[in-house]
Amino acid sequence: MANFPPQVQRVIDQGYEFNFGDYLSKGFNIVGKQAVLYMAFTFVFFLILMVSGLIPILGQLAGGLVLAPCLMAGFHLANRKVDDGQSIAFGDFFKGFEHWSQLLVSVLIMGGIFLLLMLPIALIFGFGIDPDAIAAGDISGFPWWAFLLLLPLIYLGVAWGYSSFLIIFHGMSAWPAMEASRQIISQKWFFFLLFGIVVGIIGSIGAIALGIGMLFTLPAAYAMQFTSFRDVVGMPDEVTVSTLDHLVD
C-alpha cells in the first residue's frame, strides 16, 4: 500500500463532494483579478513552446517533457496565491520549474504507459485492415471492437488529472502522486470526465477570435482545475470544504 500524506489519504478514505459549477465560476474569478498578468504569461507560454518546437528533436522533447509541464505548474502556483488574496509577480509563473524533476518523471511514466496501451491498437489497425477493401467501401471486416482498447487510455487520462497538483502542492513523488490521483478521481470519474470536457471547451473557445481569446480562456481553464483540486484535496494542512461537509453528514 502506498504511503500517502495523511490529508490525501483522508480524502481517499472519506470521499468528497464535487461542486462542478463552483469551480467554473471561481476559475474565471481568479483570472479576472490579475487578468493582465495571466494574459501576458499565456502569451509567453505559447511563445516558449512554439520556439522550442522549432528546434528538431531536442527542443521538441524539452518542450513536451519539461517546459510544458513546468509552465502549466506555474499557472497553478500563481492561482494559489491569487486565491489566497495575495498579489503575484510575473516571476511566480516560472516557479513550476522548482518541481521539474518529479514532473518530468510523471510525464515519462504516463507517456510510457500510454505507448504500451496504444501498441495493440497500432498493430490491429496497421496489420488487421485490408486497405483495398476499405478503399472499395467494404467495411464489413473493419475491427470496430478495437476502439474498446481506447477505454484504458481514456480512464487513465482522466484519473491522473491531479498528479501534478499533488507533486507541486503536497511534495509527492511522481508515481505515488499518480496513484493517489487515480484513487481520488476514480470515486467520481464520470464527473471529472464531464468537467474535463467542459473545461477543455472553455479553454479552446478563445481560438475563435484569431486565438487572442485564448490568452484569457486558457488560464481560466487551468484556474478551474486548480479550484477543483483545492476543494477536493486542499493545500497542505488545509481542511477542505468537501471534507467538512462529509464529517458533518
Side-chain angles (χ1 to χ4, degrees):
M1 180 177 177
N3 185 22
F4 302 140
Q7 181 177 359
V8 175
Q9 188 64 53
R10 182 171 62 244
V11 175
I12 294 172
D13 294 339
Q14 297 178 352
Y16 55 89
E17 298 297 325
F18 193 80
N19 303 300
F20 196 117
D22 290 347
Y23 307 146
L24 303 182
S25 60
K26 288 179 180 178
F28 277 120
N29 184 53
I30 286 174
V31 176
K33 291 178 179 178
Q34 296 284 347
V36 174
L37 274 177
Y38 275 103
M39 294 175 71
F41 177 70
T42 305
F43 176 79
V44 173
F45 172 82
F46 283 130
L47 183 63
I48 291 174
L49 294 184
M50 181 182 70
V51 172
S52 68
L54 296 176
I55 303 173
I57 304 178
L58 185 60
Q60 293 166 357
L61 285 174
L65 297 177
V66 179
L67 296 178
C70 290
L71 292 172
M72 286 188 284
F75 278 110
H76 303 321
L77 292 166
N79 290 335
R80 180 183 183 179
K81 293 190 69 173
V82 175
D83 198 35
D84 285 340
Q86 303 177 31
S87 60
I88 57 173
F90 198 71
D92 290 326
F93 289 100
F94 294 93
K95 291 185 178 179
F97 285 94
E98 296 175 1
H99 308 274
W100 73 270
S101 60
Q102 290 305 313
L103 291 172
L104 171 60
V105 173
S106 69
V107 172
L108 289 174
I109 295 175
M110 291 180 194
I113 293 175
F114 286 149
L115 284 175
L116 288 175
L117 292 174
M118 284 292 295
L119 184 58
I121 301 173
L123 291 174
I124 291 169
F125 285 101
F127 299 100
I129 297 177
D130 182 355
D132 294 330
I134 299 297
D138 180 10
I139 60 173
S140 58
F142 191 86
W144 298 104
W145 58 269
F147 286 108
L148 293 174
L149 297 175
L150 292 173
L151 293 179
L153 289 165
I154 297 172
Y155 165 71
L156 291 175
V158 175
W160 283 336
Y162 277 169
S163 301
S164 61
F165 293 97
L166 292 166
I167 290 171
I168 64 178
F169 292 124
H170 289 269
M172 296 179 67
S173 298
W175 179 251
M178 293 166 60
E179 181 59 14
S181 175
R182 187 191 65 78
Q183 292 188 34
I184 293 169
I185 290 178
S186 292
Q187 296 183 32
K188 297 182 183 292
W189 188 87
F190 284 102
F191 284 95
F192 279 93
L193 174 63
L194 180 59
F195 181 66
I197 292 172
V198 172
V199 169
I201 292 173
I202 291 173
S204 60
I205 282 177
I208 297 175
L210 299 177
I212 297 175
M214 289 190 71
L215 297 180
F216 184 85
T217 59
L218 184 67
Y222 287 137
M224 292 168 194
Q225 295 172 340
F226 165 80
T227 57
S228 78
F229 176 81
R230 185 163 207 171
D231 185 54
V232 171
V233 181
M235 299 296 104
D237 302 319
E238 178 182 70
V239 178
T240 67
V241 174
S242 295
T243 302
L244 287 175
D245 289 342
H246 178 84
L247 293 176
V248 170
D249 294 337

